[in-house]
């Protein structure tokens, strides 16, 4: 395979998932795989009702009520102590800061790169919301909010020991590291350029409607540092929305683990399991909660890893002033960095500033729901439960006492996730393990705020790589453990599909 045209494509499934869906829905029984609503969710007639607090998914005290503008994902927790508001605003300023290369007269802002994907956190997390796949050839609209993770299978005893211990979740590509950086500072070539093409895959639903799904194929053009390892695994990752992260971090670990069923002992077809990843701060394995494969244990570590890999900024948790540059990229390793800690430490953002960024990220509030008690929305809620969507997209949790932010504790929240890994089938598989997650598994994505994506970010691209152009396409891509729920959705009448989508959009 030519070095300048490194490709990844999904396993052939035109006669698998799509054809199987068409065959099934033609005679599907509505409700197969259903998870009935709990009694508290039903009215006297057996229809869904609005439950207490459900209209405030981030908790009664923490939800930003009534914000439905383009700034809906950028509001602070409403019950945050006034004394911490300045910390939130400083964290926001660091999140938005454009970093420059070292050495620079702006000592608090230098250290960019030498290879990087963006100059600021906000450049990828657009308005604290969801990124999009490439929509054109211009840099700012090409791939700045989507990236490619890179890894190879462990080949040495040392590699295998790292993976077995959990100290590494993947082995980076020997030359290009764990992530493709398209950009470089002056004198440093970017590593390559992600290119994605799509094949339209028609799916016929039970009522005769046809929906076209986009099957993506990725390749890397213009490799800047020679050929890649022949067994390189590539996984596209869209930047997710930022709301409610501190609340997800505050869900007691025991509550999440109680929902694991790796062997499907209850026979419902759902076998979620937790990812276990290395905590740098604790020096031990912890429950993974964040990222598309639950690859990070805390908001703070997620921020530190993103600073290093995306911007090339070293921190006390990931003290590499050269970012993701590998030993094979000698010029990159020898470039000046903005480290101001111990000599050679490579800490370009200090512990205090990293803590402020983490505080900001933990305290981005969840917007209130829109029209949660509308008849069609409540009917859609009933269907959501009936066809089994709530088996993985678990509606509510209660936060515990372990949060570093006292105001986030003891909240009943409605994120619609179990934070567990689930086999999503061949169609969505990236074939790239991460920690204990295999190449077919993905963490259940939270659904809160999803209906505001178009208002905040100007698009409706969903799933880990944005292949779905709307919620209907996103649902139809589900397979594996979600197959029964997907097929039940495809067997609904057009009116009931519309009602279910109305419910999801209200979250």
């Amino acid at each position: 395979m030519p070095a300048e045209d490194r490709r990844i494509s999904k396993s052939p499934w035109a006669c698998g998932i799509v054809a199987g869906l068409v065959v099934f829905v033609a005679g599907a029984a509505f409700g197969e795989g259903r998870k009935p609503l709990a009694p508290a969710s039903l009215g006297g007639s057996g229809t869904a009702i609005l439950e207490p607090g459900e209209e405030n998914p981030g908790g009664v005290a923490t939800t930003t009520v009534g914000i439905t503008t383009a700034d809906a994902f950028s509001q602070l927790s409403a019950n945050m102590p006034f004394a911490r508001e300045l910390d939130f605003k400083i964290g926001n300023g660091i999140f938005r800061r454009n970093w420059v290369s070292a050495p620079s007269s702006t000592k608090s802002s230098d250290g960019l790169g030498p290879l990087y994907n963006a100059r600021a956190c906000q450049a990828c997390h657009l308005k604290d919301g969801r990124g999009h796949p490439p929509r054109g050839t211009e840099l700012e609209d090409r791939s700045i909010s989507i990236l490619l993770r890179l890894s190879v299978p462990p080949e040495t005893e040392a590699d295998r020991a790292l993976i077995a211990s959990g100290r590494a979740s993947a082995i980076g590509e020997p030359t290009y590291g764990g992530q493709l950086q398209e950009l470089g500072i002056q004198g440093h070539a970017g590593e390559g350029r992600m290119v994605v093409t799509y094949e339209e895959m028609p799916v016929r639903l039970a009522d005769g409607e046809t929906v076209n799904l986009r099957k993506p194929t990725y390749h890397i053009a213009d490799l800047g540092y020679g050929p890649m390892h022949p067994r390189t695994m590539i996984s596209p990752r869209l930047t997710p929305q930022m709301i409610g992260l501190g609340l997800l971090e505050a869900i007691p670990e025991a509550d999440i683990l109680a929902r694991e069923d790796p062997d499907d002992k209850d026979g419902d077809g759902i076998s979620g399991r937790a990812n276990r990843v290395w905590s740098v701060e604790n020096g031990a394995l912890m429950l993974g909660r964040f990222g598309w494969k639950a690859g990070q244990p805390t908001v703070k570590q997620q921020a530190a890893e993103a600073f290093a890999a995306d911007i090339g900024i070293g921190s006390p948790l990931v003290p590499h002033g050269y970012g993701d540059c590998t030993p094979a990229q000698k010029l990159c390793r020898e470039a000046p960095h903005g480290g101001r800690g111990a000599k050679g430490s490579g800490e370009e953002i200090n512990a205090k500033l990293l803590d402020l960024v983490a505080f900001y990220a933990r305290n981005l509030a969840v917007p209130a729901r829109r029209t949660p008690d509308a008849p069609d929305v409540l009917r859609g809620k009933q269907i959501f439960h009936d066809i089994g969507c709530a088996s993985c997209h678990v509606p509510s949790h209660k936060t515990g006492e372990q949060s570093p932010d006292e105001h986030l504790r003891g909240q009943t929240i409605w994120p619609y996730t179990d934070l567990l890994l689930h086999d999503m089938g061949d169609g969505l598989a990236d074939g790239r393990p991460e920690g204990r997650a295999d190449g077919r598994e993905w963490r259940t994505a939270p659904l809160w705020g999803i209906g505001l994506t178009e208002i905040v970010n100007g698009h409706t691209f969903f799933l880990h790589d944005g292949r779905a152009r709307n919620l209907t396409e996103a649902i139809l891509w589900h397979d594996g453990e979600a197959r029964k729920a997907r097929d039940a959705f495809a067997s609904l009448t057009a009116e009931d599909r519309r009602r279910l989508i109305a419910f999801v959009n209200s979250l």
Side-chain angles (χ1 to χ4, degrees), residues 56-64 77-79 242-253 256 289-290 299 358-367 397-415 417 419 446 448:
N56 292 315
V60 172
T62 58
T63 299
T64 302
S77 300
N79 69 333
M242 299 278 291
I243 57 173
L245 298 182
L247 295 167
L248 296 176
E249 189 175 58
I251 300 172
E253 179 176 318
I256 297 171
R289 298 173 188 251
F290 303 106
V299 174
F359 180 79
Y360 169 75
R362 287 198 306 269
N363 282 282
L364 286 165
V366 181
H397 300 267
K398 187 168 183 178
T399 62
E401 300 300 313
Q402 75 273 22
S403 172
D405 305 320
E406 185 176 352
H407 56 279
L408 299 181
R409 303 171 189 168
Q411 299 292 328
T412 299
I413 61 174
W414 299 76
T417 178
L419 295 179
W448 52 11

Side-chain angles (χ1 to χ4, degrees), residues 69 138 147 177 194 205 218 228 256 276 403 433 470 501:
T69 67
E138 296 300 321
L147 55 84
M194 181 186 75
L205 306 185
Y218 296 88
M228 281 188 174
I256 297 171
R276 287 284 182 178
S403 172
N470 50 58
I501 296 298

Side-chain angles (χ1 to χ4, degrees), residues 146-213:
I146 188 173
L147 55 84
L148 291 179
R149 291 283 174 84
L150 310 173
S151 61
V152 297
E155 296 181 330
T156 67
E157 287 303 320
D159 288 347
R160 284 186 279 272
L162 279 174
I163 296 295
S165 69
R167 290 178 179 271
S169 59
I171 303 300
E173 200 281 334
T175 300
Y176 292 86
Q179 181 169 309
L180 182 77
Q181 279 95 18
E182 296 197 8
L183 305 174
I185 62 174
Q186 185 174 3
H188 295 262
E191 291 183 321
R193 180 170 54 86
M194 181 186 75
V195 179
V196 56
T197 56
Y198 295 101
E199 177 186 356
E200 294 286 337
M201 309 291 292
V203 174
R204 182 173 54 85
L205 306 185
D207 62 0
E209 180 181 344
T210 297
V211 177
N212 285 322
L213 304 183

Side-chain angles (χ1 to χ4, degrees), residues 310-374:
D310 300 344
I311 311 177
I313 298 297
S315 70
L317 289 189
V318 189
H320 304 312
Y322 49 76
D324 190 40
C325 298
T326 68
Q329 296 168 322
K330 189 171 184 292
L331 183 64
C332 182
R333 287 278 189 136
E334 294 175 349
H337 63 71
R340 282 165 290 282
K343 184 177 180 181
S345 71
E347 294 182 11
E348 295 160 318
I349 182 172
N350 63 32
K352 183 176 181 180
L353 296 185
L354 180 63
D355 284 342
L356 288 169
V357 172
F359 180 79
Y360 169 75
R362 287 198 306 269
N363 282 282
L364 286 165
V366 181
R369 286 183 58 189
R370 284 77 53 207
T371 62
D373 56 352

